[in-house]
Every structure is written in C-alpha cells, then in structure tokens.
Amino acid sequence: YNVLRAAGACGTSGQTFAVLAAGPGVSATSFADTTVTGGQTYAYEVEAVGQNGAVSGPSNCAVGAVPPFPATGLAVTGSQ
C-alpha cells in the first residue's frame, strides 16, 4: 500500500497529496502517522500496490485532526 497525506480537511481547494509511506513495508490494516504537528488537520488516502507494481486509484479521503500538543517547560504549584 501507499499512504498519502495532505494538509487540511478532505476536499480543501488546491490540496496536494504526498506519499507518506510506500511499498512493501506498508502492508498492515492500520498505520500510525508519527510525523504530525499538534493543532493541525490532515487528510489521508490509501492506494493499493499490486505485486507487478501497478497502483490503484486512491481510496476515499479520511481526515484526522491532531489536538495541540501539551506545552513543555511549565511548572505547576499547588497549595492546600
């Protein structure tokens, strides 16, 4: 399989999908995108790749919104 990703929600004007992961190494029924940025929205498509290298058309688009990552370097103090 090829996993493709684009910035924004599905159908965003001018959206361009780029291959995020490809080929024989992508064969499972799930995929974890470890390169996201907090607070962003991404659109994903998948293409099947045959043993002869033929690539299918893309799947339906799926969207994922990543919540903002927690801030770092904060100190929390409390009192009773």
Side-chain angles (χ1 to χ4, degrees):
Y1 295 97
N2 293 335
V3 178
L4 299 94
R5 182 180 77 185
C10 296
T12 300
S13 179
Q15 191 170 50
T16 302
F17 283 84
V19 175
L20 181 62
V26 182
S27 59
T29 56
S30 64
F31 177 80
D33 184 354
T34 60
T35 63
V36 296
T37 299
Q40 300 298 311
T41 299
Y42 298 98
Y44 295 89
E45 294 179 343
V46 177
E47 301 170 328
V49 180
Q51 290 180 345
N52 64 355
V55 178
S56 73
S59 67
N60 290 335
C61 184
V63 68
V66 182
F69 294 156
T72 59
L74 298 178
V76 178
T77 59
S79 62
Q80 293 182 315

